Structures are given as structure tokens and as C-alpha cells.
Amino acid sequence: MTWDPEAPGVLRLPSGRLVRGRGLRAPLPAGPRPAYGIHLLGRRPPPVDWESAWLRWPDFRLPADRRLAREVLADAWRRCADERVELACAGGRGRTGTALACLAVLDGVPAREAVAYVRRHYHPHAVETPWQKRYVRRFPAPGN
């Protein structure tokens, strides 16, 4: 069971996989809840009613553990093929946009084009800092 592709914050990857990005400062959107969520925050998030993972990622920065980030994002990419997966940070743009761009790379979007893809299909201000853009450009594609 996946997301409604027309729902706010839902990104359709080129493969057709759907993943929702959102900001945790906003109320939980109406509709179905995620089956799995990844919280991209500098400190441990409050508990939620669905399976979730915390990826320590301070605001405006990069993941604290890049190897773990690769594993968690690869798992999210695999799961969004048939589950409702949500990526969320405080505002839903910088860290969330960066993570969504990494999922786009895993889905086959060239790393140099992934930020533009997410800005076009998710939010025009996604991926906020130069180092977040560089992180996406260097994110390993499948098989690397």
C-alpha cells in the first residue's frame, strides 16, 4: 500500500515509487499514516504510532554517520516500492530534500541532476545548503 501520488509532499520517483516528505513542525497530514518513517533530526524524535528510524542529522548540516545514512536511505528506497514511507525533518526542505534527492539517485537519477529533480517534483527550495548539494552529487549510485 503506497501513497496517493496527488497528496501534498508525495514525490514520485522515476521508477514510479512514491515517498512522502514533510516537516515535523506542521501537523500530520490528513489521510493514511506512514508504515515507516525516517526522522532526520539532530536529537531523538518523540515516538510515533508507526515503525520509524532516527537518522542523526543536525539542521543545515549532513548526516552524522554517512555510512549509516546510506544504509537507512537504501532501506527506505527498497521499502517505498510497496509501503508508505515518509522522510521528515523539522521544516521538510533541507534535510528532507537532501534525503529525497539521495533516493532519486538510488532510483537512477544521475547524481548531478537529483537536486533539480527534487526541486521540480517535491519543493522548489528543497536542499538548502551548498554542502547538502555536494553530498547528493557524491552520493553513491547503486552498485558503487
Side-chain angles (χ1 to χ4, degrees):
M1 185 124 80
T2 62
W3 297 110
D4 172 359
E6 303 302 317
V10 173
L11 172 69
R12 181 185 295 275
L13 295 168
S15 66
R17 294 169 194 237
L18 301 172
V19 60
R20 181 171 79 183
R22 81 174 177 103
L24 295 169
R25 287 193 294 252
L28 185 66
R33 293 180 179 244
Y36 179 64
I38 300 174
H39 294 109
L40 311 162
L41 299 168
R43 68 180 103 164
R44 186 172 300 281
V48 291
D49 295 335
W50 52 85
E51 184 183 353
S52 65
W54 170 44
L55 186 55
R56 193 161 63 86
W57 192 330
D59 202 8
F60 296 106
R61 299 194 190 276
L62 299 174
D65 183 334
R66 294 184 192 166
R67 190 169 133 233
L68 176 62
R70 171 85 163 102
E71 292 171 11
V72 168
L73 293 174
D75 183 49
W77 178 79
R78 281 189 296 277
R79 293 176 76 156
C80 73
D82 56 11
E83 293 181 56
R84 286 188 306 271
V85 173
E86 173 182 87
L87 303 179
C89 65
R93 292 187 186 159
R95 294 168 284 184
T96 297
T98 303
L100 289 170
C102 291
L103 264 61
V105 171
L106 292 171
D107 204 63
V109 174
R112 290 183 323 275
E113 300 170 20
V115 171
Y117 182 87
V118 170
R119 286 179 173 171
R120 188 169 47 256
H121 298 286
Y122 170 69
H123 194 285
H125 300 293
V127 189
E128 295 175 318
T129 68
W131 40 93
Q132 289 172 340
K133 291 176 196 169
R134 186 172 41 241
Y135 179 74
V136 173
R137 281 194 314 268
R138 294 178 178 172
F139 195 77
N144 292 341

